[in-house]
Amino acid sequence: MICIGVLLLYLAISKNFEPLLLVPIGFGGILSNIPGVDIAVGQGVLHQFYAMGIETGIFPLVIFMGVGAMTDFGPLLANPKTLFLGAAAQFGIFATLMGAVALTETGLLEFSIAEAAAIGIIGGADGPTAIYVAGQLAPHLLGAIAVAAYSYMALVPLIQPPIMRLLTTEAERKIEMTQLREVSQIEKIVFPLLLLTLVAFFVPSAAPLLGMFCFGNLMRESGVVDRLSDTTQNALINITTIFLGLAVGSKLRAEQFLVPETLGILVLGMVAFCIGTAAGILMAKLMNLLSTQKINPLIGAAGVSAVPMAARVANKVGLEANPHNFLLMHAMGPNVAGVIGSAVAAGILIMFAGGG
Amino acid sequence: MICIGVLLLYLAISKNFEPLLLVPIGFGGILSNIPGVDIAVGQGVLHQFYAMGIETGIFPLVIFMGVGAMTDFGPLLANPKTLFLGAAAQFGIFATLMGAVALTETGLLEFSIAEAAAIGIIGGADGPTAIYVAGQLAPHLLGAIAVAAYSYMALVPLIQPPIMRLLTTEAERKIEMTQLREVSQIEKIVFPLLLLTLVAFFVPSAAPLLGMFCFGNLMRESGVVDRLSDTTQNALINITTIFLGLAVGSKLRAEQFLVPETLGILVLGMVAFCIGTAAGILMAKLMNLLSTQKINPLIGAAGVSAVPMAARVANKVGLEANPHNFLLMHAMGPNVAGVIGSAVAAGILIMFAGGG
Amino acid sequence: MICIGVLLLYLAISKNFEPLLLVPIGFGGILSNIPGVDIAVGQGVLHQFYAMGIETGIFPLVIFMGVGAMTDFGPLLANPKTLFLGAAAQFGIFATLMGAVALTETGLLEFSIAEAAAIGIIGGADGPTAIYVAGQLAPHLLGAIAVAAYSYMALVPLIQPPIMRLLTTEAERKIEMTQLREVSQIEKIVFPLLLLTLVAFFVPSAAPLLGMFCFGNLMRESGVVDRLSDTTQNALINITTIFLGLAVGSKLRAEQFLVPETLGILVLGMVAFCIGTAAGILMAKLMNLLSTQKINPLIGAAGVSAVPMAARVANKVGLEANPHNFLLMHAMGPNVAGVIGSAVAAGILIMFAGGG
Amino acid sequence: MSDVLTQAIDLVVYGMGTVVIFLTVLVGATMLMSYCLQTFFTAERPEVTLRPSAAPSEGLTDPKILAALSAAVKKYREDHN
Amino acid sequence: MSDVLTQAIDLVVYGMGTVVIFLTVLVGATMLMSYCLQTFFTAERPEVTLRPSAAPSEGLTDPKILAALSAAVKKYREDHN
Amino acid sequence: MSDVLTQAIDLVVYGMGTVVIFLTVLVGATMLMSYCLQTFFTAERPEVTLRPSAAPSEGLTDPKILAALSAAVKKYREDHN
Ligand code: NA
Ligand code: NA
Ligand code: NA
């Protein structure tokens, strides 16, 4: 088990796999598996971090506030239709949930509906959302789910391109998109409030996650609390990341992690990413059928979230087809739309499966 | 109720009304009133912030430490007599307390002595002090008290000038004050210790508030712990402000806030500011009667606290009467004296009404 | 008792005695002894800091993580044999433990084995380690132990030189050491993992302390999480230092501190420092007998820890004997070795005496 | 069909449906918001309305006084913010 | 007169009295402190007494050695502070 | 001899022994590690292996495209890191 911690550290340090999370998670995993001392259980310090930050939901919510303070909704506001791509890519979440239930039906593994929902959220491709949902619905699977979510987010440059090439024609990949319009400051200020209002009406169970996200974004855009916004984007999110990572690491204890379920989770998580990617691309193609203003279907793949990696992958694959095709900004729209989409899905899963 | 949250955000963002607090409070208020999800009660994240930071008193005390680290006692030390102005302006606190009790006598509203004391502290014109006292004496009124305190602090440029013009003659407003002497570093180091010593002897119940305040100031002035002082003035106070604001917002739930008492609190708070302002000015005029070294009575209005807004208002009104009359530095003395004065009053209120 | 708080502040501010800790500890000590108000007991804010940070062990562990992030193992890796010096200097810990038990045998004072162990750790010359051990084994002695540890660390420039001159010849003090080799980044990355692995095998009870230390160091050296490392070295360690210091100050209440045991602890602590210094020097001389590559025995004194003060003292005494003899970098090896050594000793003490 | 499977199908239909409807509504609301704001605020230069100087009611006109005051206020804000 | 009203009057008298007396005492104590400190410390330049360099006992006189040491110490303090 | 004294002697022997043995093992392990790493990594310049650029698989060769992309990516990383 300590080897897995070392492997995570190796991937983080040497391969630059989501190091901000995988260094603390990997190290925490090593600490948790030292025999003869209680670090990840009882009064151990990592278990205390877990109890105060993940059981309560505080750490992922604070991270989400920080992510909100780092997010620029400009590209999304310039082209709101990319929200459809962020919606479609969440199909990966629900397909995986079905997959987990199907595995249970076959008798290979046994997942409750809450566990299946927590596994599905890996397809949301959003770290804090996955940790928040798993912490609420299936704490005993949190280690595997977090590791899967962050690993696959790091692997997006390997996972997505083959699917993108398979589902698009050369001509589609060459589509150039018109430059995005300037978005005014007032639109950026009103948007988080608008989003929160709709959440309050339609999916209140997503309000903790999206509320903190919108709060962070409002601090950023309002322009009157820059010192709070700066601290949120730096000291506060960094401190929380360290303790969140160590706390997640406390769930990598061998007796909880080295179980057949973990293998199932890793496989299902990969499936989730693939389906999400495919659904985003296919939605983009569908939109092109219905509209005259064409979009490059590659940016549909960015709808899974995995900010900003997925957007960069879309850009890179687009450049391969057409060296003048800069999709990065266009892909940021579905990319942040994916964050919203998976937070909405998370709210529904918690409401539905948390009581079940 | 959500409209009130949006109104607070509008005032904070568009009118620059104490945005550092009113953005988190307003947003927290919106989150707290979303139906169908527990954010401000039970295991909700805002209620957790409230329980860990306001019930315990920790957040306002940490803010007070940060304010101490940001306060320069130089102007006060150069002219210690301005402490009298800070004393007089606290009359607003006690007059309001009487007002709240009088309202109870009339039968219009019903406030206990603890509630009346918590309402009176709005007249202290000091945010963390008001939150600390309300959290100890009347948590159910905390939302209204905090909103009143910060709103009126932001409204000081509208509230104070008419009272200042009414109570002073043109000749008084023209009084120029002699330049303040340089204050040595050692005086600045010894002062917080002297202040704490007197607090320990005379009003130990004010020691938590003023102790943290003096500690912050000593870190600032000692010159040997600059890295602690810097962090206190930046990351630490910013982080605490965010969580304090959200926690206060959790007290803006409609069933607690939309009650007749809130209207009473808003009216009484306004009265408190007016009486405090008047008392400060009248004390300055009284001092001029008794002393040959004249002071401009406008700086008496700065005795309410509301740092640094009240000092800037005194400066502005002074400049209108005499374009060569720069009162800003002179008004900083009573301004910080007002912080000390209302912390002392807070200690007495908690001791007296907390046991009652 | 308040005088002792003022004395600590005086030493910190005027004499620059470990001000980062002694300013908060001294001020906390003053606050704790104000009669008529509960600050250091019950619901008082300092007692809350104590309960959340020291009873749980979290504050010293976070500080240790920060120290790890600030430590450069380069000099140690360039000359690993200096680890022997760090081992020898820990003899001060165990000699003092024996001294405390001997005092008990004489009937002068009465210390249990856990108390004797907590007193011994003063000889480790490492603040967070001492606070961690005392918090686990003898919380009622924590105030005296922390004050002794930090005071003697500040007094190292007075305590060590006479012992160094007594135990070394002029010729020995003149020994020049060859320049240290460059250490590659990969060695610096692997070292904390190697250290943690050995801890896991041989002294798992030291894993919380050394685990957090190695984690901080890995964040520093890995180069992929610089934003986490920076925050750990600045905002996070500063915030924790403030609250740790205030929490330690809550243990300076007169009824706990003004007891005969405190005098015994102060005397024993001083003895611990002297014995540790001597043991480090003698070990260096022993190594010179056995090896052809001579080391200057002065750097043995730096094995007590007291980073970086002890290393600077070694450098200074070396310069007095030989103006071309720059020992600073050479002394940093045993200096950080001393941190490792006393953390290992701390683990053993907690395991042995915690259950006893 | 097992109970868990029924539940899961319900959840998928309800969940995916909500995500799509929610984001569709958000597209509409966002376009409406942008249209309204662009219509109302383009002419009047929103930055001015939105970011008043910190002391909007000062109303001083003598530039020299203003400069002196600004310097002092700036100093104080740095110290006391 | 109601009980609460009596209590409130007591609290106002006691509270406002304490605030005024406390700040009056503070005025006196502050003036006394400033007087004493200005008397005792003006001649001897307090900054020197108050802010010794971090290593007051170094006592080195050769400026070159001092410079080399300072650089090394500075480096270490940055790393280890 | 009292019970506490016996315990203390045990603790001293066991504790000091462990400290010395542990650090001795650490000396050996460290020297071995340094030897191995220096042997294996000197030739291949470890920094290159260890610190890939954040996007190692980009594989773009046209410097102009690379520069444009870098600027955009940098901007985004600053915003979104
Ligand atoms: Na997503
Ligand atoms: Na006041
Ligand atoms: Na040591």
Side-chain angles (χ1 to χ4, degrees), chain C residues 75-347:
Chain C
L76 180 68
L77 289 169
N79 190 5
K81 275 183 285 185
T82 56
L83 280 163
F84 289 121
L85 305 174
Q90 308 318 315
F91 186 61
I93 294 177
F94 295 100
T96 309
L97 188 161
M98 281 304 297
V101 171
L103 270 182
T104 303
E105 294 295 305
T106 64
L108 268 178
L109 291 166
E110 183 135 8
F111 293 119
S112 70
I113 191 83
E115 291 169 335
I119 295 167
I121 200 68
I122 299 172
D126 186 273
T129 300
I131 292 171
Y132 184 74
V133 171
Q136 305 290 310
L137 296 183
H140 53 294
L141 302 181
L142 176 64
I145 289 171
V147 166
Y150 282 105
S151 301
Y152 295 146
M153 281 163 67
L155 285 171
V156 151
L158 298 180
I159 297 173
Q160 290 198 324
I163 302 170
M164 293 159 91
R165 293 198 192 93
L166 184 71
L167 294 179
T168 54
T169 65
E170 178 81 13
E172 283 172 334
R173 292 199 290 278
K174 282 191 168 156
I175 295 174
E176 289 187 29
M177 296 180 67
T178 52
Q179 212 189 323
L180 297 170
R181 71 170 174 90
E182 279 280 304
V183 174
S184 68
Q185 194 208 349
I186 189 158
E187 287 173 79
K188 292 187 178 179
I189 293 178
V190 173
F191 181 73
L193 294 170
L194 175 72
L195 174 55
L196 181 66
T197 308
L198 294 181
V199 167
F201 273 100
F202 293 98
V203 268
S205 55
L209 271 173
L210 282 171
M212 293 302 276
F213 187 76
C214 291
F215 175 56
N217 192 250
L218 183 68
M219 286 199 288
R220 170 200 182 86
E221 301 296 353
S222 70
V224 293
V225 291
D226 287 344
R227 56 181 292 162
L228 301 187
S229 174
D230 289 347
T231 295
T232 305
Q233 294 178 47
N234 292 290
L236 181 53
I237 197 170
N238 290 343
I239 291 171
T240 313
T241 299
I242 291 170
F243 292 125
L244 174 80
L246 291 173
V248 169
S250 80
K251 287 294 180 182
L252 297 190
R253 286 167 55 242
E255 57 265 46
Q256 278 198 335
F257 192 83
L258 295 184
V259 292
E261 281 77 12
T262 295
L263 202 64
I265 290 169
L266 290 173
V267 170
L268 288 166
M270 174 64 82
V271 171
F273 265 65
C274 295
I275 294 180
T277 303
I281 296 168
L282 294 175
M283 172 59 94
K285 294 178 72 160
L286 177 67
M287 285 167 69
N288 277 350
L289 284 183
L290 302 176
S291 159
T292 53
Q293 202 188 358
K294 300 298 176 204
I295 59 178
N296 189 314
L298 294 175
I299 70 169
V304 293
S305 304
V307 182
M309 191 69 89
R312 283 162 51 200
V313 169
N315 186 70
K316 176 176 159 268
V317 177
L319 279 171
E320 286 169 5
N322 173 352
H324 301 291
N325 201 359
F326 295 99
L327 296 172
L328 192 61
M329 294 307 279
H330 298 283
M332 289 311 299
N335 215 191
V336 299
V339 175
I340 298 172
S342 39
V344 169

Side-chain angles (χ1 to χ4, degrees), chain A residues 64 88 137 160 179 220 237:
Chain A
F64 225 59
L137 296 182
Q160 289 198 324
Q179 212 189 324
R220 170 201 182 87
I237 198 170

Side-chain angles (χ1 to χ4, degrees), chain A residues 28 30 32-33 38 42 54 113 119 142 151 154 224-225 251-252 280 297 355:
Chain A
I30 295 174
S32 305
N33 286 286
D38 282 355
I54 296 191
I113 190 86
I119 295 167
L142 175 64
S151 301
V224 292
V225 292
K251 287 293 179 184
L252 297 189

